[in-house]
Amino acid sequence: IMNIKLARLFEIVQILLTEKKVTAEKLACHFEVSKRTIYRDIETLTLAQIPVYSEKGRYGGIGLIKNFTIDKSFLSQNEQNEILFALQSLNAVQYSKNNITLTKLNSIFNRKADEWIEVDFSRYGENDSILFEKIKNSILEKKVIKFIYFNTKGKKSKRTVEPLKLWFKEKAWYLFAYCHKKKDIRQFKIARIKNLELTCEHFERELKKEDLKNQNNVNGKGTKIVIEVDKSQAYRVYDEFFEENIAKKENGNFEITIEIFENEWLYGYLLSFGEHLKVLKPARIREILAKKVEKMRENYKN
């Protein structure tokens, strides 16, 4: 989001360089944001010592002091790199409105940003790529969305939310949003969102740091688990666990201690190692997995 704001700030300066005055309403319409957001952007530019001014009244508007130009010496080589790389990262997530700004800055700095990053969402399949694009746009444009959501128990519900932030963790995408039904910030797993609809309803809500922190800690402390993994699974062990949690045993196997939230996903993950994993502690999880294995055997008896 900060990179997107940076792109918008530089495009605002470019617009003000070519036009004497522009109204906040016109800028808000151009960027598809609120006038309040534009006024915050103008304040940011002022703090950055860009000579922006605003005039009220019928012929008022936002402008730059006459004869102002963006000189190459205004930004150091490293600062130019940071700006171009930030804009390049937006291209990686298909932020289409970024291309014009990037082209203009390449011209101003007389250079080209390196192709240093690429993001591929194709593994989700075509429909999920479209879903991700819709959610991304709804966050950037601050538009309310509606969708069907399936919780961890498979229960279906209709949700109307104000999308605030996309978050990637533990190999999955999540959406932080203000839920109208729950009247609070909620975390939704993208894979469980179905039939998403964009609405024309605009919102102003911002995600606060304490909201994000509270959601991360919503389930409290995880369960401490000790497992033994066969040495043949070394490639998975070092890919999927932190080195400080891994201890090598005399027989060459790995003893791994982790603290993680206990749910059906965890049981499925442990079972994905098949006969190459054994839970040492706690005994309760050993019993749960043993019952699941027995039920799997029952499924194949006939």
Side-chain angles (χ1 to χ4, degrees):
I1 298 300
M2 287 304 296
N3 289 346
I4 293 164
K5 181 178 179 179
L6 179 63
R8 189 172 65 241
L9 289 174
F10 271 88
E11 189 168 349
I12 288 174
V13 173
Q14 285 295 313
I15 291 172
L16 297 179
L17 283 170
T18 56
E19 300 186 34
K20 290 183 178 180
K21 285 182 187 176
V22 183
T23 64
E25 185 176 0
K26 184 176 179 180
L27 289 172
C29 182
H30 176 79
F31 292 104
E32 297 181 350
V33 298
S34 66
K35 288 198 293 184
R36 183 180 173 186
T37 298
I38 294 298
Y39 287 131
R40 283 201 296 263
D41 289 344
I42 298 305
E43 184 179 353
T44 301
L45 290 172
T46 302
L47 291 173
Q49 299 181 1
I50 304 293
V52 182
Y53 69 89
S54 61
E55 291 182 351
K56 295 182 179 180
R58 184 177 178 183
Y59 300 103
I62 299 166
L64 283 170
I65 290 177
K66 192 175 181 180
N67 298 326
F68 172 78
T69 58
I70 299 179
D71 192 282
K72 291 182 182 179
S73 62
F74 183 75
L75 296 168
S76 69
Q77 190 76 19
N78 286 337
E79 288 170 332
Q80 291 177 30
N81 286 339
E82 289 298 323
I83 292 167
L84 294 175
F85 290 165
L87 294 176
Q88 189 70 46
S89 70
L90 294 181
N91 280 348
V93 290
Q94 293 86 48
Y95 183 58
S96 57
K97 297 179 183 179
N98 169 56
N99 290 326
I100 295 175
T101 306
L102 184 59
T103 300
K104 288 179 179 178
L105 287 178
N106 281 334
S107 177
I108 291 172
F109 298 151
N110 193 27
R111 53 183 309 199
K112 183 180 179 181
D114 296 326
E115 297 288 337
W116 70 283
I117 184 171
E118 183 172 342
V119 179
D120 184 3
F121 296 110
S122 59
R123 73 184 187 92
Y124 297 111
E126 183 180 357
N127 291 335
D128 286 335
S129 295
I130 295 172
L131 174 65
F132 183 92
E133 181 74 11
K134 286 182 177 180
I135 294 174
K136 181 193 71 176
N137 290 337
S138 67
I139 294 174
L140 299 179
E141 297 170 9
K142 289 191 171 293
K143 296 293 179 63
V144 172
I145 56 175
K146 296 180 179 180
F147 53 79
I148 301 296
Y149 190 69
F150 293 84
N151 65 15
T152 54
K153 296 180 181 179
K155 186 178 179 181
K156 182 172 72 171
S157 62
K158 293 182 179 180
R159 300 298 180 98
T160 300
V161 307
E162 299 172 14
L164 302 171
K165 190 181 187 71
L166 276 168
W167 184 48
F168 184 81
K169 187 174 183 180
E170 297 289 344
K171 303 179 183 179
W173 283 99
Y174 296 87
L175 169 67
F176 284 103
Y178 179 83
C179 180
H180 289 188
K181 182 178 180 179
K182 300 295 184 180
K183 299 188 184 305
D184 198 4
I185 303 293
R186 286 291 187 267
Q187 176 183 323
F188 302 94
K189 192 169 185 177
I190 301 296
R192 299 196 198 116
I193 293 176
K194 307 297 179 184
N195 302 335
L196 186 140
E197 297 178 22
L198 279 75
T199 74
C200 296
E201 184 181 349
H202 189 82
F203 67 89
E204 288 292 337
R205 193 182 307 275
E206 302 283 350
L207 184 67
K208 300 176 182 177
K209 288 183 179 180
E210 53 264 33
D211 293 330
L212 192 61
K213 184 177 180 181
N214 291 339
Q215 284 297 307
N216 286 336
N217 297 328
V218 69
N219 293 320
K221 196 174 182 181
T223 301
K224 186 176 181 180
I225 302 174
V226 182
I227 58 176
E228 181 177 342
V229 180
D230 188 83
K231 54 181 176 291
S232 65
Q233 303 300 298
Y235 69 99
R236 284 194 65 179
V237 169
Y238 288 110
D239 275 353
E240 300 174 22
F241 299 98
F242 291 113
E243 191 172 351
E244 58 266 28
N245 296 335
I246 304 169
K248 201 79 175 286
K249 302 189 70 172
E250 290 184 3
N251 61 5
N253 291 345
F254 303 96
E255 185 173 298
I256 305 165
T257 303
I258 55 175
E259 192 171 286
I260 191 169
F261 297 124
E262 185 179 345
N263 51 30
E264 285 296 325
W265 177 89
L266 173 63
Y267 306 145
Y269 173 73
L270 295 175
L271 288 172
S272 72
F273 283 86
E275 70 273 20
H276 302 299
L277 179 145
K278 178 169 61 178
V279 175
L280 304 179
K281 297 177 183 178
R284 173 176 48 77
I285 292 183
R286 288 169 57 92
E287 294 171 4
I288 291 172
L289 295 187
K291 288 179 181 179
K292 288 183 178 295
V293 170
E294 186 59 35
K295 190 171 182 179
M296 290 169 64
R297 289 183 60 191
E298 291 291 330
N299 290 341
Y300 291 98
K301 277 189 175 180
N302 295 322

